[in-house]
Amino acid sequence: MSRRARLALFLPAALVLAVGLLWSFADLPPFGHYSGIYGIVLGHVAVAQREATNVVSAVTFDYRGVDTLGEEFILFAAAVGSAILLRAQRGEDAAGAAAERSDRRADVVARPVRALGAALVAPTIVLGAYIIAHGQLTPGGGFQGGVILASAAVLVYASGQYLAVRVVRGVAPIEIADALGAAGFALIAVGGLVFGLAALHNFLGYGISGSLFSAGIIPLANVAVGVEVAGGVTLIVAEFLDQALMRRRSG
Amino acid sequence: MSVFPYIVAGWLLLVGLWGIVTSRHLVHLVICLSVMQSSTYVLLLAVGYRHGAKAPIFADIPSGTQVVDPVVQALTLTDVVVEATVAALLLALAVQAQKRFGTVDPDELGALRG
């Protein structure tokens, strides 16, 4: 189809869509006057029922945990899919050559960049762990903290130590982390069944709200998701970096 | 303007769709898809907003305080994660397209395969 024909087809359709959207927006409750019952109820009962002060976490990992289970496997499948696609045309020798090449790269990266990158790795890991551990208390949780942990691996790369990333990566560890995180959350989900309750039932003691070990399975689920996200994102980033290094080598 | 945030969401959806339809580069296409998906974040958060309400974190506010809807915020979190992973997968496909067909122009890709 020519571009002109495609536009001619798109514009009327977009117009209809725009009119439909406007029409439906007119019937939404006015902005700032939310009146949905679920949000209001959860705002009142979440702390009392689950001892979790971060209600968003309580919804994500407890009340609507089944959504998160699905989301988590989307993440897992996408990470594995990206890795398979990017590895499809790459032999192990090519990857080795890329690593060799990056050894020389270590000399190319400016010293201040390397120093700053290396200095930021440890604080980034601590921050990621903190965000994961306090997921049920304050804004944060497994997804956010996991991405922060993955960015620590990127910092290692930015400071020119791609070899170190390879050792950390070494094919296995981050993939195992990815799989363990996914399996961990699935196990937590079936944990309720073990105790004769429903799947994803919050089967642990709730503790006292505001303490690190409160809200039952929510912190555990945060850790599982954090490990999985850190592994998955690092895997995706590492595969794309391999591609970039191979390109530079051949180009 | 009580519908303004909704209009922004609709605009993001349409402008992203426009970008996808007219795209000449697969990476550009993936970014346009991200723009489209960000319209859902705006819409969800706008639907759950209440004037004068606090964030649904009771770490430092007394219980019983009016808060914005935590359900749509959790949905937005799901949305962001799915969007990021889908973008990664599509970018990996774009890399494959470049390797296999030597082009990332969606129009030429169709011609090559047809």
Side-chain angles (χ1 to χ4, degrees), chain B residues 17-39:
Chain B
L17 202 57
W18 166 267
I20 287 179
V21 169
T22 59
S23 178
R24 313 216 64 157
H25 196 290
L26 285 179
V27 175
H28 169 263
L29 195 149
V30 176
I31 304 289
C32 289
L33 186 70
S34 301
V35 171
M36 275 184 80
Q37 286 194 302
S38 59
S39 75

Side-chain angles (χ1 to χ4, degrees), chain A residues 3 6 10 18 22 25 29 31-32 34 39 42-43 53-56 60 71 75 78 82 85 89 137 143 240 243, chain B residues 2 5-7 14 18 21-22 47 49-51 56-58 69-71 73-74 78 81 85 89 95-96 99 107:
Chain A
R3 297 177 65 77
R6 192 187 303 161
F10 171 70
L22 277 178
F25 291 158
F31 177 68
Y34 169 75
L42 279 172
T53 52
N54 180 353
V55 183
V56 180
T60 309
E71 166 195 6
L75 173 68
S82 305
L85 278 172
Q89 297 188 346
L137 304 174
F143 291 104
F240 275 107
Q243 295 287 321
Chain B
S2 66
Y6 305 141
I7 304 282
L14 286 169
W18 166 267
V21 169
T22 59
V47 164
Y49 185 73
R50 286 166 102 181
H51 283 305
I57 311 289
F58 287 95
D69 186 357
V71 179
Q73 298 206 353
T78 307
V81 174
T85 53
L89 194 60
V95 171
Q96 281 297 311
K99 277 186 180 163
D107 291 343

